[in-house]
Amino acid sequence: MPELIVNLHMHTTYSDGTGDHQDIAQAALETGLDAVIVTDHNILVKGPEGYYREGDRQVLMLIGEEVHDRTREPQKNHLLVIGVDQEMVDLAEKPQELISAVSKAGGLSFLAHPTDPAAPLFDQEDISWVDWSVEGFTGLELWNGFSEFKRHLKNKFQAIFYAYQPDRIAQGPFPETLRKWDQLTSSGKKVVVVGGSDAHALDASLGPLRRTLFPYKFHFQGINTHLITPQALSGDLDHDRRLVLDSLRAGHAFIGYDLPASTRGFRFYASGKNHSAIMGDEISAANGVTLQIKLPLQAKCRLIRDGIRLKEWDNRTILSYTTTQPGVYRIEAYLDYKGKQRGWIFSNPIYLKN
């Protein structure tokens, strides 16, 4: 099945980014992405959606929105809204009504940066998601690149170091976000996860130092969401928009940190007596199921069931595990990079049912 590399959650000059849609498209073309999903704060910018081309390369740009209540202090409960052709900001004060309206309109909703720590050094407040009573959302943003940077900003030295060494920032999703996701799926909910860059290309200064934190191109080489689709992109906007949205909705996806090494080619699927499944799907555990994992290169790999580590392999590329035990099964893979073990791949689950 084809694989699409998508970068989502980014901002332009329509909200608090420094680049325009053409800048984003150009960076995406240069990094070889298949699609980007732009989500400016509280504004749905319809015009730029479509294909951007350069030579024999093309990238699909879709437009969503990051909705949050600007009157709330601090501004918690940011929601990524994708696939809706109408403005949703009027419902920002009531997250459940907002999520329900997005669903009714046929769109997708992802809880943005569920864990987003404060950075007092730069007057940045904690803007984590706090309303966990909501239901009906598509999923959550498991790994957010900019939120992870904020957690490193303990002092000016660290701020300068990571501004000039951004390839040393990413280590993986916050443990508390992983735990929350496992808690939700283990309780019977289907929760799709995506990775978001939260790219702004911010112009920052500290004393005499001036630097862009972090150019779109850098983000696009890092935390991406890889989609497994039934067919390749056709070049037709309406068809390909549905293809991307349907694959996201189904959870036929994994999060790949592509900076240390490309994650393209990762696969996680299940084979039963009469059926098979890929990430996001359900399959009966009756009569036994074989889970099969393919890594693009040798790495540390963990099989997680209901939030508990079930099996771990080192330095392998082809792995399998046979079980009759129902549960929510997912994969984590890790690579050594820049002197640390870093998260590399986080799959959406396969749901084994009785």
Side-chain angles (χ1 to χ4, degrees):
M1 298 177 76
E3 177 179 342
L4 305 179
I5 303 179
V6 180
N7 194 282
L8 57 85
H9 192 170
M10 64 204 70
H11 303 279
T12 73
T13 51
Y14 278 90
S15 57
D16 57 351
T18 63
D20 59 23
H21 293 85
Q22 183 62 52
D23 295 328
I24 287 174
Q26 185 61 40
L29 287 165
E30 292 175 5
T31 49
L33 295 179
D34 296 298
V36 291
I37 304 177
V38 183
T39 49
D40 274 305
H41 291 285
N42 290 335
I43 182 171
L44 183 63
V45 186
K46 293 186 178 181
E49 188 165 89
Y51 270 99
Y52 292 72
R53 296 179 172 88
E54 183 176 80
D56 60 352
R57 295 176 296 173
Q58 65 178 20
V59 64
L60 172 64
M61 179 179 291
L62 300 180
I63 305 297
E65 183 177 14
E66 182 177 1
V67 178
H68 61 97
D69 181 6
R70 292 187 186 277
T71 67
R72 191 190 195 284
E73 292 295 340
Q75 293 176 8
K76 309 279 191 176
N77 300 330
H78 289 223
L79 189 75
L80 298 178
V81 175
I82 302 170
V84 176
D85 292 329
Q86 62 194 70
E87 181 60 73
M88 289 286 172
V89 70
D90 289 345
L91 298 172
E93 293 182 20
K94 299 178 180 179
Q96 184 60 69
E97 289 188 18
L98 171 61
I99 290 168
S100 297
V102 171
S103 179
K104 185 176 180 180
L108 312 179
S109 57
F110 293 91
L111 313 189
H113 40 71
T115 306
D116 194 302
L121 185 66
F122 293 93
D123 297 320
Q124 295 285 321
E125 295 181 297
D126 182 308
I127 53 172
S128 303
W129 187 275
V130 294
D131 187 353
W132 290 104
S133 67
V134 296
E135 295 188 352
F137 53 92
T138 309
L140 54 83
E141 187 181 37
L142 185 71
W143 193 353
N144 178 293
F146 199 70
S147 298
E148 193 171 10
F149 172 59
K150 285 174 64 179
R151 181 160 281 188
H152 288 294
L153 299 180
K154 305 299 184 184
N155 53 57
K156 290 183 179 180
F157 171 78
Q158 285 186 326
I160 294 170
F161 176 82
Y162 287 112
Y164 283 86
Q165 300 285 333
D167 53 352
R168 296 182 180 272
I169 294 172
Q171 296 182 37
F174 291 137
E176 52 265 53
T177 307
L178 278 167
R179 286 194 296 270
K180 187 64 183 180
W181 178 38
D182 286 330
Q183 177 187 346
L184 290 168
T185 56
S186 297
S187 71
K189 292 182 170 69
K190 182 176 180 180
V191 180
V192 177
V193 292
V194 295
S197 61
D198 207 352
H200 296 74
L202 291 176
D203 293 326
S205 63
L206 189 61
L209 301 175
R210 302 285 188 275
R211 191 163 182 84
T212 298
L213 297 176
F214 311 99
Y216 296 115
K217 188 174 178 178
F218 172 78
H219 273 299
F220 296 171
Q221 295 169 322
I223 302 166
N224 291 306
T225 299
H226 293 237
L227 302 181
I228 309 302
T229 60
Q231 53 193 273
L233 294 174
S234 67
D236 177 79
L237 174 59
D238 290 338
H239 174 275
D240 293 345
R241 188 174 188 261
R242 288 194 301 272
L243 185 72
V244 169
L245 296 179
D246 288 348
S247 297
L248 278 172
R249 189 190 314 276
H252 294 164
F254 66 90
I255 300 165
Y257 179 41
D258 291 307
L259 188 62
S262 173
T263 61
R264 182 185 286 275
F266 168 78
R267 294 294 184 270
F268 175 43
Y269 52 97
S271 300
K273 184 177 181 180
N274 299 310
H275 302 282
S276 61
I278 65 173
M279 293 169 287
D281 290 343
E282 294 183 1
I283 188 172
S284 172
N287 302 312
V289 169
T290 298
L291 301 170
Q292 297 172 289
I293 305 110
K294 177 186 175 184
L295 298 173
L297 53 82
Q298 292 185 353
K300 181 184 292 293
C301 183
R302 295 172 182 165
L303 176 63
I304 311 294
R305 183 184 69 208
D306 297 336
I308 299 172
R309 191 184 308 177
L310 187 62
K311 179 77 174 178
E312 183 168 294
W313 299 269
D314 282 315
N315 301 319
R316 302 268 298 278
T317 56
I318 305 296
L319 312 161
S320 66
Y321 185 88
T322 300
T323 183
T324 57
Q325 181 69 41
V328 181
Y329 290 78
R330 62 178 182 83
I331 296 296
E332 298 178 359
Y334 295 82
L335 279 181
D336 290 330
Y337 179 67
K338 298 287 184 178
K340 288 186 177 181
Q341 186 178 92
R342 300 177 190 271
W344 187 41
I345 294 169
F346 294 83
S347 78
N348 269 283
I350 296 176
Y351 302 83
L352 270 61
K353 301 297 184 180
N354 286 313

